[in-house]
Amino acid sequence: MSRRTCQSLLVPQDAICTLNTLQTNASCLEQVRRGRSHPQLQLQAMKAFLERTGLTVEALDHLNIIHVTGTKGKGSTCAFTEQILRSHGFRTGFYSSPHLVQVRERIRINGQPIGKELFTKYFWQVYGRLEKSKDAHGGTMPAYFRFLTILAFHVFLQEEVDLAVIEVGIGGAYDCTNIIRRPWVCGISSLGIDHTQILGDTIEKIAWQKGGIFKPGVPAFTVKQPEDAMVVLRDRARETGCPLRVCPELDDYQKHCGPLRLGLAGQHQHSNASLAIQLSHTWLQRRYQSSPSPAELSGLSQAPQVCPSPITVKALSDTEWPGRNQTLKHGALTYFLDGAHTMRSMQACVDWFVEAAAQHERNASGPVARVLLFNATGERDSAAMLKLLVPCHFDFAVFCPNITEAAASCNADQQNFNVSVENMLTRCLDNQRSWQLHSSKGPGLLIEDSPSLGPEKKADTVVFPCILSALQWIAQGRNSVLAQSTEVILPVKSSIVAKAALLRNAAEIHVLITGSLHLVGGVLKHFDQTSSK
């Protein structure tokens, strides 16, 4: 650190590039897999890293934390909760993952990603202390997510927030955010099957992991869960000495307080909003109590009826959470963005898209072309998710990896060293084959000079090497933001150019972008001209 110039320390991109060196490579991933038989060691390691930066777990008690986990909807729940408490006049911290466009999105103060200067300053403070002490600790440095979690805690303490809303990364029991000892309240959003290699392959195993954030005497809330999952959560709460409450349906609030309008679209957001109402209400109760409340009994019961205040009602309608049931219009193109990546969330995405697209089509001035832009990563069953999307009746299914553009190195925020480009493209081809199988169409068409999958036939699938090339082909010059890009796009086969006549002749083009939050983030990167400011 001593050799770095003052100028380099002030360049955010240098900090982000250094942060990327902490991404887990293949060999480290294998070490993690071997260590999963002793997952409690992960929390011990996290505590040691925290202490090397000069922080202690006791210091985190002062952050007045709301800790939220779940399979689907935990980020939206956190967004609702943060908006409510900020609207009540509190200075909020909010830690979430993953980021969509800029890594700074993961650490927010008063709803806004921390600025470049603050991010750079605090990054080097934390990184410098860890680097200085690494020789005394076997040369170890925390991996990417661990580092960002420590950085978030450091930022929130330095910026003296009134509270911090902390979203769990994966699971709960052994997630690195779970070094938190005394949150003010905990929440569990909808549970489902995801990250099975880490959390287990049954809803019971996953519920056990999620219930790991329960703390003795700390109130916790959950939305309605599958019966088997609820039994596990109930038992975990009893064993921990945690009072666990089940949130009512959103309609139950509306019976007493009138209609509630949510800033986030989709029926599935109703349970997230209900959970956020309970979390924020409980936090406010504790904040304004002059004396400690009597200890609540542990176990499971129904949450008390709460009538949201006018401030809370407005906050629910003001909440924004990009990339989740988000609609953007650029001229003749309407983009429907949702980072759904599990079976349950994809079904919710389909339900939302069918209704939202139908509303837009009723107002269209002529024929509408429907396009799916899809990618999925990791262990997820993309074939099963694609099967859910077939009934949407797309004219084209377009596949690309989560690479923003051909020269991906120019954008450090979007870099991922955990998977090779070859593997990403292979996954796209697998997704294309799955779509063809489910939709009973002919073989697809690839970028110029790509290997052919068979004799060319009339087809509705295309694979592109990056997000920008896919977006530009779909837009056919009708999106001024994309048309301004100076990035060189690889040539496509003449047959693909001809096929695009349908897109050029349509009065409007509706594009559903789903399967991965990273894909959605890459798309937003090209649309958001202010994201780098």
Side-chain angles (χ1 to χ4, degrees):
M1 289 289 294
S2 60
R3 290 185 231 174
R4 299 184 187 275
T5 65
C6 292
Q7 182 179 8
S8 69
L9 291 177
L10 296 176
V11 178
Q13 208 70 353
D14 288 351
I16 295 168
C17 288
T18 303
L19 172 65
N20 285 344
T21 67
L22 302 177
Q23 289 191 32
T24 310
N25 59 30
S27 61
C28 290
L29 276 173
E30 183 56 35
Q31 291 177 13
V32 171
R33 292 189 185 100
R34 289 198 301 267
R36 283 182 187 146
S37 58
H38 303 287
Q40 63 274 15
L41 297 179
Q42 302 297 322
L43 290 179
Q44 294 177 18
M46 181 64 180
K47 181 179 178 181
F49 285 127
L50 186 75
E51 292 173 347
R52 281 169 55 184
T53 68
L55 296 177
T56 63
V57 290
E58 290 78 14
L60 306 185
D61 296 344
H62 301 292
L63 290 177
N64 309 330
I65 288 171
I66 297 173
H67 201 195
V68 181
T69 189
T71 305
K72 184 182 72 172
K74 62 182 183 291
S76 299
T77 297
C78 289
F80 280 126
T81 304
E82 186 277 333
Q83 178 74 55
I84 292 170
L85 293 173
R86 173 158 45 93
S87 298
H88 275 83
F90 294 102
R91 181 171 171 80
T92 62
F94 179 10
Y95 177 58
S96 65
S97 62
H99 62 276
L100 293 177
V101 181
Q102 304 282 337
V103 70
R104 295 179 287 110
E105 297 166 25
R106 296 181 183 230
I107 304 173
R108 296 172 181 258
I109 303 291
N110 280 339
Q112 295 299 313
I114 59 172
K116 288 184 176 182
E117 290 186 3
L118 277 184
F119 176 83
T120 305
K121 179 179 78 170
Y122 289 133
F123 174 89
W124 290 119
Q125 286 178 1
V126 173
Y127 187 86
R129 293 168 189 172
L130 288 164
E131 189 179 48
K132 185 177 180 180
S133 61
K134 71 177 183 179
D135 289 342
H137 294 83
T140 57
M141 291 287 283
Y144 188 89
F145 184 77
R146 281 184 184 175
F147 179 90
L148 285 171
T149 304
I150 295 170
L151 179 61
F153 290 145
H154 177 69
V155 169
F156 296 154
L157 287 166
Q158 291 297 311
E159 291 296 306
E160 298 181 336
V161 298
D162 294 318
L163 69 128
V165 180
I166 305 295
E167 179 189 351
V168 168
I170 295 177
Y174 305 118
D175 184 76
C176 66
T177 65
N178 207 30
I179 59 170
I180 299 165
R181 302 185 316 159
R182 296 174 183 170
W184 277 24
V185 61
C186 297
I188 298 184
S189 64
S190 179
L191 298 184
I193 304 296
D194 195 19
H195 299 294
T196 55
Q197 291 185 356
I198 300 174
L199 305 180
D201 56 2
T202 67
I203 194 68
E204 294 91 342
K205 292 177 181 177
I206 289 172
W208 188 93
Q209 293 282 351
K210 306 292 184 180
I213 70 168
F214 294 157
K215 302 295 187 297
V218 174
F221 294 87
T222 179
V223 303
K224 290 183 178 179
Q225 307 286 1
E227 183 176 352
D228 292 341
M230 194 67 86
V231 169
V232 174
L233 293 179
R234 180 201 64 195
D235 293 345
R236 285 284 262 168
R238 286 176 178 171
E239 293 165 2
T240 308
C242 163
L244 177 63
R245 306 291 179 256
V246 181
C247 298
E249 300 290 344
L250 194 66
D251 288 345
D252 293 338
Y253 302 96
Q254 299 180 135
K255 292 175 184 176
H256 302 281
C257 307
L260 296 175
R261 192 181 74 82
L262 304 183
L264 305 184
Q267 183 71 24
H268 58 286
Q269 294 293 355
H270 290 195
S271 64
N272 300 329
S274 176
L275 179 55
I277 290 171
Q278 296 291 335
L279 293 174
S280 56
H281 176 78
T282 301
W283 191 94
L284 288 167
Q285 273 191 319
R286 176 169 176 178
R287 177 76 176 198
Y288 290 123
Q289 280 175 346
S290 57
S291 59
S293 60
E296 298 182 76
L297 295 176
S298 63
L300 183 68
S301 66
Q302 192 67 31
Q305 186 59 246
V306 172
C307 187
S309 68
I311 293 175
T312 296
V313 170
K314 186 176 186 304
L316 291 171
S317 67
D318 289 343
T319 300
E320 297 179 352
W321 193 227
R324 291 82 171 175
N325 301 127
Q326 181 182 12
T327 303
L328 295 175
K329 190 167 180 62
H330 288 263
L333 286 101
T334 303
Y335 299 91
F336 302 85
L337 302 102
D338 188 69
H341 51 270
T342 68
M343 291 297 289
R344 289 188 66 191
S345 61
M346 186 58 71
Q347 185 59 62
C349 171
V350 168
D351 294 341
W352 162 72
F353 172 74
V354 168
E355 181 178 347
Q359 291 177 354
H360 281 78
E361 286 176 9
R362 283 194 288 269
N363 298 322
S365 59
V368 175
R370 279 191 179 186
V371 181
L372 170 67
L373 179 57
F374 180 91
N375 191 41
T377 60
E379 65 196 54
R380 297 177 177 91
D381 190 348
S382 55
M385 287 192 286
L386 286 168
K387 188 174 182 179
L388 293 176
L389 288 159
V390 169
C392 293
H393 303 297
F394 295 102
D395 296 294
F396 293 96
V398 179
F399 304 94
C400 69
N402 296 339
I403 300 172
T404 53
E405 50 201 287
S409 60
C410 67
N411 186 16
D413 290 88
Q414 301 287 331
Q415 285 184 323
N416 183 349
F417 299 141
N418 297 335
V419 60
S420 69
V421 173
E422 181 182 5
N423 286 341
M424 286 190 279
L425 288 171
T426 298
R427 183 66 178 267
C428 291
L429 295 173
D430 290 340
N431 292 338
Q432 183 192 38
R433 293 187 185 98
S434 295
W435 179 266
Q436 292 163 354
L437 177 65
H438 291 312
S439 59
S440 301
K441 299 292 184 180
L445 303 168
L446 304 176
I447 59 174
E448 193 74 60
D449 299 327
S450 293
S452 175
L453 297 180
E456 289 189 3
K457 299 178 183 178
K458 184 176 181 180
D460 62 355
T461 61
V462 194
V463 175
F464 285 97
C466 68
I467 294 170
L468 181 57
S469 59
L471 289 174
Q472 289 195 325
W473 182 82
I474 293 169
Q476 291 295 304
R478 302 171 73 178
N479 184 331
S480 58
V481 174
L482 297 173
Q484 293 169 5
S485 175
T486 58
E487 177 63 26
V488 176
I489 302 302
L490 298 178
V492 297
K493 293 181 179 180
S494 57
S495 53
I496 286 290
V497 175
K499 182 68 176 178
L502 174 64
L503 298 174
R504 291 190 293 271
N505 295 331
E508 294 185 12
I509 303 171
H510 291 173
V511 190
L512 174 62
I513 301 163
T514 191
S516 166
L517 273 170
H518 300 286
L519 172 66
V520 169
V523 170
L524 289 174
K525 183 259 180 184
H526 290 297
F527 292 165
D528 187 359
Q529 301 301 305
T530 64
S531 63
S532 61
K533 294 182 181 179

